[in-house]
Amino acid sequence: MADAGFFKGTSTDQDRRFSDKELKLLKSMKFPPEFDKKVDMKKVNLQVIKPWIAKKVTELVGFEDEVVVEYAMGLLEDPNYTTPDPKKMQINLTGFLTSSTPTFMTALWKLLLEAQESLAGVPQTFVEEKKEEMRKAQESDQRAFGERDRRARLDEIRDNERGGYGDRGGRGRGRGRGRGRGGFEGGGRGRDNGWGRRGGGVSDPSGIFD
């Protein structure tokens, strides 16, 4: 329980047990140039940073670790230090993240530097990722709508074809039956009329066929 204050964000300068070791590490370790730039935490929206920290810690340690997440957040939220020292943060987190600590701190500090330059305190990287996510979602919706319209058109074409075949078949059978009846009846009447005309219309002067 004696270390509870330390885990809430107390700096190593306030705990003499860590000061000497910390100073030695600061002198021996190499840090990226981004660590020379200060971050004013009052300009950072930590509510959007915390989910990233939780996700990154899970990726690095292989499981969800709320202790590490809360500890890292405590280091950033320390009211005594509105401009936290990334070098000291890296040293303090090394016991949890071991060899992955430099990667974690470099990525985190870059996000914090971006965040303090934004009016909303949100890193530009997050904004771009959100835009890309929305773009992909829109493309997915458009593909879904396009596929739905394509299927609807195909269904309409099939329905029209089925209806067209039925009409043509009906008309064909009707015409066939009509021609059959009409041709037979008309042919009979034509022959009758023809013989009648020939029989009644020929004059026989000799009177043999009268």
Side-chain angles (χ1 to χ4, degrees):
M1 297 299 293
D3 292 336
F6 178 72
F7 276 90
K8 289 182 180 179
T10 302
S11 71
T12 53
D13 289 336
Q14 294 173 300
D15 195 322
R16 295 300 179 185
R17 292 176 300 173
F18 294 92
S19 59
D20 293 339
K21 182 179 179 180
E22 182 183 79
L23 289 174
K24 291 179 181 179
L25 288 172
L26 287 173
K27 292 179 180 179
S28 62
M29 295 175 66
K30 292 183 179 181
F31 300 97
E34 288 84 3
F35 284 9
D36 294 330
K37 301 176 182 179
K38 293 183 178 181
V39 172
D40 185 355
M41 296 307 299
K42 293 180 179 179
K43 299 180 180 180
V44 177
N45 186 343
L46 279 175
Q47 295 304 312
V48 300
I49 298 296
K50 186 175 181 178
W52 180 89
I53 291 177
K55 180 181 178 181
K56 198 67 176 178
V57 167
T58 301
E59 290 177 357
L60 295 175
V61 302
F63 57 90
E64 295 182 5
D65 194 330
E66 284 296 324
V67 173
V68 179
V69 174
E70 292 301 326
Y71 178 49
M73 289 295 297
L75 294 174
L76 295 175
E77 294 174 328
D78 187 350
N80 297 312
Y81 294 88
T82 57
T83 55
D85 188 335
K87 297 177 182 179
K88 291 181 179 180
M89 279 190 67
Q90 180 166 316
I91 291 173
N92 292 333
L93 287 170
T94 299
F96 300 99
L97 302 178
T98 61
S99 61
S100 299
T101 310
T103 301
F104 172 81
M105 277 305 305
T106 300
L108 174 61
W109 204 251
K110 287 180 179 179
L111 290 176
L112 295 176
L113 289 171
E114 290 182 12
Q116 74 172 353
E117 298 299 325
S118 168
L119 293 177
V122 178
Q124 185 62 29
T125 298
F126 289 3
V127 175
E128 296 301 325
E129 288 177 352
K130 189 62 178 179
K131 288 181 179 179
E132 180 65 13
E133 180 183 338
M134 293 174 64
R135 185 186 66 79
K136 290 182 178 179
Q138 185 177 13
E139 288 181 352
S140 179
D141 290 342
Q142 289 176 347
R143 286 194 297 269
F145 291 144
E147 180 64 16
R148 184 193 64 183
D149 293 341
R150 186 184 70 83
R151 291 182 179 180
R153 288 194 297 270
L154 287 174
D155 290 342
E156 183 179 357
I157 292 172
R158 293 190 186 102
D159 290 342
N160 290 337
E161 288 177 347
R162 293 191 190 101
Y165 290 146
D167 292 342
R168 289 195 294 273
R171 288 195 297 269
R173 288 191 296 271
R175 287 195 299 270
R177 289 193 297 270
R179 285 196 300 271
R181 290 194 298 270
F184 180 79
E185 294 172 0
R189 287 195 296 270
R191 287 191 294 272
D192 291 343
N193 291 337
W195 283 106
R197 284 194 300 270
R198 287 194 295 273
V202 178
S203 176
D204 183 10
S206 63
I208 295 174
F209 294 104
D210 291 340

